[in-house]
Amino acid sequence: MTRTMQPIRRFAASAGGLLLLAACASVPMPPTEALKAAEQAIASAEKARVADHASPELGEAREKLTAANAAVQKEDMVVAQRLAEQSRADAELALAKSEAAKAKAVNDEMKTSTEAMKQEMQRNPGVK
Amino acid sequence: MKTSSHSFKLLAIAAAAAMMLSACSSGPTRPEGADEVRGKLTQLQSDAQLATLAPVAIKEAEAAVVAAEEPREDLEQGRHLVTIADRKVDTARAQAQARLTEDQRKVLSAQREGARLESRTREADIARSDANIARADADLSRSQAEMARMDTDAAKQKAAELQRQIAELNAKATERGLVVTLGDVLFATGRSELKGGSASNLSKLAAFLKQYPDRTVLIEGHTDNVGSDASNVSLSQRRADSVKSYLVGQGVGAARLTSSGMGEGSPTAGNESATGRQQNRRVEVVISNPLVSTLR
């Protein structure tokens, strides 16, 4: 009887532990993936010369990455994970906004040159 | 007994696990700000221009909003998920906006090409009109040259015609002008009336004078030395007058014609011989001739 009870109890205990783990996810492991993703997102944004335009989002992304690393040092992995994820989201937003701004700048330049051409034509007396 | 104790223990563990679980999720609330993020997403999704332009980003944003909307006990986690969702919605909108801007570029490019083409066309028009003006100038100078050539031709023809007429009149170009010498065959001895038959020679002179109306004419009568000076002057004057009145009768303006009797004072030959005297009896018609110089 004790022989049969033993494995069951062991199973039940470990199942309970697993449930607990899954429920609160509080195992202190550094959020390596999230930190790496945030670093890559910031690097991409920098590569796209986002800093050329004033970008509060990119600044925020950098600050959050720094804070995430600090949280890892304090073994506050939950906070580190969140900060890393937010850092990445900020950096991706910075990149997207920068791309949109660049596209707009190109269009504006085209409009300006078209307008300039039209105006020049109007100034030109045309056929003498 | 075996099964009941087993079941009880299982139940107890399960209950404990359930309690633990519920400890993490009891009193769940919808995180603050989730509704606003949902609102932003809906706005993007219902934007006819942007909704289809960033499908992947919008899908990710949708998933993030759904996660943020989930009611939860952990307020920090809730705020975190709302923040993430907010960024993802903004990112999706920015990506869609970038795509839209890029799509509009085709139209802008076409507009610019249109303007450029128009400007080139205008330049070409100007160039063409310049060329036309230049061509017209060239045409004009060509036709002027042509006209000048024609003028020259006409002048040459006129000059040739004049030469011919002068030759016909037996006129001589002298410093005084063209001198046509009408012999004494025109008049009977001692008479001043024109003989019949002399008209053909005089009519040529009349025609010539009518053709060159800008010339004035001096008609001089001359005699030989036979008879008195006074009678010779008088006779020569009358003969000159006869010629003048003939010419006036032919339509030559009297104002252009001056007649004078020179008498015997300007012989062209000696009066010793009959031939010399005959040569001296004459009427000279001097046609003032500015054309003499151009004839040479």
Side-chain angles (χ1 to χ4, degrees), chain A residues 4-59:
Chain A
T4 50
M5 274 296 290
Q6 213 55 26
I8 290 166
R9 199 183 296 165
R10 220 179 280 149
F11 168 78
S14 58
L18 267 173
L19 272 164
L20 204 129
L21 218 174
C24 292
S26 57
V27 173
M29 280 283 286
T32 322
E33 289 295 315
L35 288 168
K36 200 184 277 179
E39 279 164 16
Q40 279 175 357
I42 290 171
S44 296
E46 281 169 347
K47 203 172 167 188
R49 304 181 69 79
V50 170
D52 288 0
H53 315 272
S55 174
E57 288 87 5
L58 184 57

Side-chain angles (χ1 to χ4, degrees), chain B residues 2 7 9 27 33 36 65 88 113 130 157 163-164 173 180 182 202 215 243 257 266-267 275:
Chain B
K2 193 166 93 183
S7 319
K9 276 196 178 148
E36 284 82 350
V65 170
K88 283 196 181 293
E113 276 315 300
D130 283 351
Q157 273 179 15
Q163 285 285 34
R164 196 183 57 71
V180 178
L182 303 168
L202 277 173
R215 300 177 183 212
V243 171
L257 305 173
S266 311
T275 318

